[in-house]
Amino acid sequence: MASLITCPHCGTRPKEEFSVRGAVIARPSASEKDEAWHRYVYVRDNPKGRYQEYWHHAAGCRRWLVVNRDNLTHEVFGVTDAQASREGSR
Amino acid sequence: MRYSALSIIKQALSGNRRWTPAWREPEPKPHYDVIIVGGGGHGLATAYYLAKEFGITNVAVIEKGYIGSGNVGRNTTIIRSNYLLEGNNPFYEMSLKLWEGLERDFNYNAMVSQRGVLNLFHSDGQRDEYARRGNAMRLHGVDADLLDREQVRRLAPYLNFDHGRFPVMGGLLQKRGGTVRHDAVAWGYARGADARGVDIIQHCEVTGIRRGPGGEVEGVETTKGFIGCNRLALAAAGNTTTVGRMADLALPIETHVLQAFVSEGLKPVIDNVITYGAGHFYISQSDKGGLVFGANIDYYSSYAQRGNLATVEETMQEGVSLIPGLSRAKALRAWGGVMDMSMDGSPIIDRTPIDNLYLNAGWCYGGFKATPASGFCFAHLIAKNETHHVSRFMRLDRFERGYVLDEGGKGPQPNMH
């Protein structure tokens, strides 16, 4: 039920310790056109199934995390540190 | 068949064997003037007003389950028009006025009960905010009364007035607000639409949207085959993205789950609809005696019609904090429904960039009270290809243009609305 989230820094914790920011979307550069910023701020793919979200471990390590889960079955596939996963994708 | 006291007596004399079904179960025709996707409250209301107010009767409502199986049958049944913003208040007030005449209008008992909606405040700042909202309502010709602590005590003596952290200091009361029997809304609109020639096609899922050479919509692929249409109207709350993707619509919507609860039946105790200003908890008592209540969404994106236990716990904590006696009542049922959470917390009733495609979406978890006005304005838009003036702030392109309609002032984060 996505009730337990395994934080890479703190271990398995109840989900109430976290706050959810929303979909993982690449931030456009400041010089991008309005259309790119509109898509980033307002438009969501909103898939049914696998979803990646930014969660903040507000009552723990206070790190930003990427939670990879299924929004229909509530299965959690993996949790990584947001900065580490961004550096990994570079 | 017109329902009346006389019809009840007549049917009783014949042993109640001659009641006829309230609507037909037709097979789809090959082509309609208008197809509405979604047989919930908004879709059925749209069909009803299209037929009744705008004379368009060659209409089909396509529903993947049975009508009323979605959020119109899963909500906490509250109606009100206590909004602050100019883009919201006249729209919801139109809805409340339609609620007031609805049962006569569609000849169906929807148990509209104007028992009053009371929003409690717990600090000086919150009182100022509520006074401002009450004044804005009055400027729009809507009733609003700011009650002090003793006036609230007379209405609801069972509240936790001396809460250590969130004492009840007063409330903003809208006497014309109240509750409606939610299923009967779907049934009443369905019956009224059907009687005027609308085909309600249940257990028929839309699987694709067929586009013509110019990109315009020509019809829908369904589990009962292709059905053509001149205009296609989407009212598929919770699944708007899934249907919209069939036409490559980019939408400012994320789907979330909201839970609601009902207690065992109790003797009459809560006369009004009461909302807790220190959290986000709302409660009323149904005519059967069950306490109907709910709180926030579950915060993470979800398409599952079931919720998380942590939210159940939070809801119960809020309830007991406001009404200590609630701890003695047993919760009987809990359920979840999926919501279109829009990026500014307000709905969308508009044309789309695709020809012949119309959108009614993004109701977050406030769609039930809007059902009549949503149906009326959407029907107006479809029939005249022109926005109704009370829904003119609910355009799809308002996000790009910078005219968001953010009642709560929470910013572009769907789980905060």
Side-chain angles (χ1 to χ4, degrees):
Chain A
M1 292 249 292
S3 294
L4 295 173
I5 299 293
T6 304
C7 172
H9 307 292
C10 311
T12 302
R13 314 291 299 181
K15 79 149 188 70
E16 299 87 275
E17 289 189 2
F18 302 79
S19 67
V20 182
R21 171 68 182 86
V24 173
I25 305 171
R27 188 182 174 89
S29 77
S31 57
E32 292 255 20
K33 292 217 164 59
D34 286 357
E35 173 50 29
W37 278 96
H38 165 245
R39 290 194 69 83
Y40 170 69
V41 177
Y42 293 114
V43 177
R44 294 291 176 268
D45 282 344
N46 194 23
K48 185 189 244 179
R50 257 186 119 106
Y51 205 41
Q52 283 198 321
E53 279 172 327
Y54 284 127
W55 289 44
H56 186 225
H57 197 177
C61 57
R62 302 190 61 77
R63 293 288 294 175
W64 282 97
L65 310 171
V66 173
V67 177
N68 190 339
R69 62 185 186 88
D70 190 303
N71 65 10
L72 191 58
T73 64
H74 292 167
E75 187 180 352
V76 179
F77 302 111
V79 183
T80 52
D81 185 277
Q83 188 171 26
S85 60
R86 203 164 70 158
E87 279 164 3
S89 69
R90 271 177 189 167
Chain B
M1 181 194 295
R2 194 176 162 75
Y3 295 156
S4 64
L6 188 67
S7 75
I8 292 174
I9 295 167
K10 272 190 187 164
Q11 294 291 339
L13 291 175
S14 60
N16 283 318
R17 284 188 304 268
R18 292 191 191 153
W19 291 107
T20 51
W23 53 82
R24 299 163 293 133
E25 293 195 20
E27 285 302 306
K29 291 191 271 191
H31 190 275
Y32 290 92
D33 290 342
V34 177
I35 289 179
I36 298 163
V37 180
H42 292 225
L44 293 165
T46 305
Y48 175 78
Y49 291 116
L50 266 177
K52 178 166 178 284
E53 302 291 335
F54 301 98
I56 299 176
T57 55
N58 186 19
V59 175
V61 177
I62 298 180
E63 166 55 47
K64 71 173 176 176
Y66 56 92
I67 59 166
S69 57
N71 295 337
V72 73
R74 301 177 158 257
N75 57 70
T76 44
T77 79
I78 298 165
I79 60 169
R80 59 187 173 86
S81 63
N82 52 3
Y83 282 77
L84 172 73
L85 297 179
E86 189 194 353
N88 278 327
N89 190 291
F91 174 84
Y92 288 101
E93 176 59 14
M94 177 191 181
S95 207
L96 194 53
K97 284 187 175 138
L98 287 168
W99 282 119
E100 286 172 333
L102 186 67
E103 293 162 303
R104 276 186 184 201
D105 188 59
F106 68 18
N107 180 232
Y108 202 86
N109 181 9
M111 295 162 72
V112 176
S113 163
Q114 292 182 290
R115 58 184 69 183
V117 172
L118 178 63
N119 299 154
L120 299 171
F121 55 79
H122 310 269
S123 68
D124 291 339
Q126 200 169 27
R127 172 168 47 210
D128 292 349
E129 188 194 327
Y130 282 22
R132 181 188 174 212
R133 181 154 54 90
N135 285 331
M137 290 163 66
R138 287 190 160 208
L139 287 171
H140 279 113
V142 179
D143 70 305
D145 295 294
L146 198 67
L147 306 187
D148 64 20
R149 186 179 157 95
E150 291 314 308
Q151 288 170 305
V152 171
R153 198 191 292 277
R154 281 199 288 278
L155 272 183
Y158 46 82
L159 298 176
N160 191 0
F161 284 88
D162 300 312
H163 192 291
R165 201 169 159 200
F166 305 114
V168 175
M169 294 176 66
L172 183 66
L173 175 68
Q174 185 183 21
K175 286 182 185 159
R176 288 164 59 241
T179 61
V180 181
R181 167 93 168 93
H182 52 357
D183 299 310
V185 175
W187 300 333
Y189 276 125
R191 174 169 166 271
D194 177 88
R196 288 169 174 81
V198 173
D199 282 356
I200 296 165
I201 300 157
Q202 304 183 75
H203 303 292
C204 176
E205 187 171 352
V206 170
T207 53
I209 294 176
R210 191 185 285 184
R211 311 271 294 273
E216 76 281 8
V217 169
E218 291 186 334
V220 286
E221 310 285 351
T222 74
T223 48
K224 292 188 177 179
F226 175 76
I227 312 174
C229 65
N230 297 341
R231 291 178 179 180
L232 182 64
L234 306 181
N239 290 299
T240 300
T241 301
T242 311
V243 185
R245 193 172 287 131
M246 296 172 190
D248 302 321
L249 271 185
L251 295 168
I253 286 171
E254 196 173 78
T255 300
H256 285 255
V257 61
L258 174 72
Q259 302 187 63
F261 307 84
V262 65
S263 79
E264 60 189 329
L266 303 171
K267 287 184 179 178
V269 52
I270 296 182
D271 299 331
N272 318 92
V273 178
I274 294 190
T275 73
Y276 192 20
H280 186 188
F281 176 84
Y282 34 95
I283 188 164
S284 66
Q285 188 167 18
S286 80
D287 293 330
K288 279 195 291 187
L291 302 176
V292 183
F293 54 97
N296 278 311
I297 52 175
D298 281 18
Y299 290 121
Y300 51 64
S301 152
S302 174
Y303 276 92
Q305 285 181 317
R306 62 183 187 286
N308 197 294
L309 285 173
T311 308
V312 178
E313 189 177 24
E314 188 194 309
T315 306
M316 302 299 169
Q317 283 169 344
E318 285 195 42
V320 172
S321 167
L322 176 66
I323 306 173
L326 203 59
S327 65
R328 307 292 293 272
K330 294 184 183 73
L332 199 64
R333 289 184 288 126
W335 63 95
V338 289
M339 314 287 141
D340 282 356
M341 296 305 293
S342 70
M343 298 304 276
D344 63 356
S346 295
I348 296 155
I349 302 176
D350 201 3
R351 289 186 291 255
T352 68
I354 297 159
D355 283 346
N356 304 338
L357 185 62
Y358 298 80
L359 180 67
N360 179 324
W363 289 97
C364 299
Y365 49 107
F368 177 72
K369 72 178 96 65
T371 305
S374 164
F376 197 101
C377 293
F378 200 34
H380 182 283
L381 174 72
I382 297 161
K384 304 190 170 199
N385 210 24
E386 194 177 284
T387 301
H388 190 284
H389 68 97
V390 302
S391 62
R392 68 191 184 282
F393 288 81
M394 298 169 180
R395 305 292 300 271
L396 176 59
D397 65 356
R398 66 177 183 265
F399 303 94
E400 285 176 81
R401 291 184 295 117
Y403 287 92
V404 290
L405 187 54
D406 190 345
E407 177 84 16
K410 290 166 182 163
Q413 186 156 350
N415 61 355
M416 296 311 291
H417 286 291

